[in-house]
Amino acid sequence: KISAMPQAHIHFEVINGAGLVTLDRPKALNALTVEMVTDLRQVLLGWRDDPAISHVVIASSAPRAFCAGGDIRQARETIIANGFDEADAFFRGEYLVDLAIAEFGKPIIALCDGVVMGGGAGLAEHCTHIIMSETTRFAMPETSIGLFPDVGASLFLGRCPMPVARLLGMTGYIIHGADCMMLGLATSMVASAQMAELKQSLLDCTSSEIDHVIAVFKMDPGVPALNYHMPVIKRIFRGDATPEQMQERAEDLALMRPNDKLVSHVVTAFATRCPVSIKLFWRLLQMADGITNIGEALTLDYHLAMRMIRRADYIEGVRAVLVDRDNAPKWSPNSLALVDKALLDALFDEDGLRPLC
């Protein structure tokens, strides 16, 4: 058992030829700092080139959360105090970790108990094995803070049926392990109570035994809750509709189905989340078929993130959701109708596009 690069919030060990990454920032739901992503990438690059490392397991020190995403509150504070350099470095570091996972070339298993959101989904979805449990809560909530579903979401949400991808990315709807299995966002489900035992078994096995070990522990996910909602999801998010038309469909449905929690969520999301963020992700999904690999997806995410964090909506969104917690952001522009094609074109304009690597 060999420890490497101890760091307050992330730990690395080599056990029986397997690498173990433990996210250990439980009070912040393992929100990723620039130090965490920098260390993780450095270790993964070393393990990638080390023939003694057969596979890697990424897990949390506590079952409440795998990872709730990047520490965007910290990024906001550094922008206010010091300008954009540190925030730029964080987003670049986060995306480079996702790229290192996707291009690792050996099995990487993510044990996704509890909260898996935003940048946490980025860590998990680029692994070869994504193990969720009955406690998993998966979401891409970035439109609530003036950002957008990034970390390669154009690919992993883009593989979902388009109406579902729009629901998840534009409104931040939370889904669970069985839903993720149905959508291909998880490869297996294991009971939360057995995650620790599974982790140990994965550390004790060879890379050729991984699938067999997981098969011993996997559970029947049951019927996904999302199945029940599919007619409504398709009715709101189908076809070539604009976000304004989707919002109108949801509001019309709410009159007919006042007790439908999903419809209520969608109506509230369209009314309260950042209009630019919603429309940006709508366009990003339209482009998804033309994005051929993870490097291309993350390079575009980096470009868009650099533009989005320089808008007032990011500072305001994080303030409203995570700092003052009044959940009353003042967006600019403040409605979907005011987010015109020229504004989106400017965000996606490749002039000045920065290379990720």
Side-chain angles (χ1 to χ4, degrees), residues 24 30 38 82 84 88-89 103 119 126 139 145 150 171 205 253 260 293 298 306 335 340 343 345:
D24 188 21
N30 293 331
T38 300
N82 304 314
F84 292 96
D88 290 353
E103 296 182 341
H126 303 303
I145 55 164
D150 55 350
T171 80
C205 77
L253 265 180
D260 189 311
N293 61 68
L298 291 169
M306 295 308 93
S335 74
D340 60 15
L343 195 161
D345 286 346

Side-chain angles (χ1 to χ4, degrees), residues 13 30 62 67 87 98 132 135 150 176 184 193 225 248-249 270 279 346-347:
E13 300 169 87
N30 293 331
C67 176
D98 295 331
M132 297 190 178
T135 70
D150 55 350
H176 299 89
E248 187 176 338
R249 290 171 180 173
F270 275 129
K279 277 204 165 177
L347 290 170

Side-chain angles (χ1 to χ4, degrees), residues 122-145:
L123 291 184
E125 291 302 322
H126 303 303
C127 292
T128 56
H129 298 73
I130 309 158
I131 315 300
M132 297 190 178
S133 78
E134 77 281 4
T135 70
T136 300
R137 297 173 71 241
F138 180 100
M140 297 299 291
E142 291 85 352
T143 55
S144 67
I145 55 164

Side-chain angles (χ1 to χ4, degrees), residues 144-353:
S144 67
I145 55 164
L147 272 176
F148 67 101
D150 55 350
V151 296
S154 57
L155 294 185
F156 62 78
L157 291 188
R159 290 192 289 266
C160 300
M162 182 61 80
V164 175
R166 289 169 171 167
L167 168 72
L168 300 183
M170 294 165 67
T171 80
Y173 188 70
I174 296 171
I175 58 175
H176 299 89
D179 303 314
C180 291
M181 285 290 294
M182 177 182 73
L183 297 170
L185 297 169
T187 56
S188 298
M189 271 188 73
V190 170
S192 178
Q194 292 194 289
M195 280 288 193
E197 188 179 348
L198 170 62
K199 180 176 76 173
Q200 189 57 53
S201 295
L202 289 168
L203 295 172
D204 290 338
C205 77
T206 65
S207 60
S208 63
E209 296 170 326
I210 290 170
D211 291 333
H212 173 71
V213 166
I214 294 170
V216 169
F217 286 89
K218 72 179 181 181
M219 61 184 284
D220 181 351
V223 179
L226 212 55
N227 266 4
Y228 170 77
H229 296 293
M230 285 305 293
V232 165
I233 295 168
K234 290 176 181 176
R235 187 164 174 179
I236 296 172
F237 292 101
R238 72 185 187 279
D240 297 327
T242 64
E244 293 94 321
Q245 290 168 328
M246 296 175 203
Q247 181 177 24
E248 187 176 338
R249 290 171 180 173
E251 290 170 349
D252 290 346
L253 265 180
L255 297 175
M256 295 182 280
R257 304 171 69 114
N259 298 318
D260 189 311
K261 291 182 179 179
L262 183 140
V263 174
S264 176
H265 164 85
V266 173
V267 169
T268 300
F270 275 129
T272 60
R273 289 174 178 248
C274 178
V276 173
S277 299
I278 290 172
K279 277 204 165 177
L280 182 146
F281 192 68
W282 168 69
R283 179 179 285 198
L284 191 57
L285 282 177
Q286 290 177 316
M287 299 169 61
D289 286 345
I291 299 172
T292 58
N293 61 68
I294 183 60
E296 199 176 307
L298 291 169
T299 296
L300 179 55
D301 284 349
Y302 181 53
H303 167 69
L304 292 171
M306 295 308 93
R307 294 242 166 110
M308 292 295 279
I309 66 173
R310 284 162 171 77
R311 301 187 71 257
D313 281 346
Y314 173 69
I315 298 295
E316 171 64 5
V318 179
R319 177 207 65 76
V321 174
L322 293 173
V323 180
D324 298 336
R325 298 179 185 270
D326 59 20
N327 291 307
K330 294 178 173 58
W331 305 121
S332 178
N334 65 0
S335 74
L336 291 170
L338 294 176
V339 183
D340 60 15
K341 181 176 181 295
L343 195 161
L344 289 177
D345 286 346
L347 290 170
F348 280 91
D349 183 3
E350 293 191 8
D351 184 38
L353 180 66

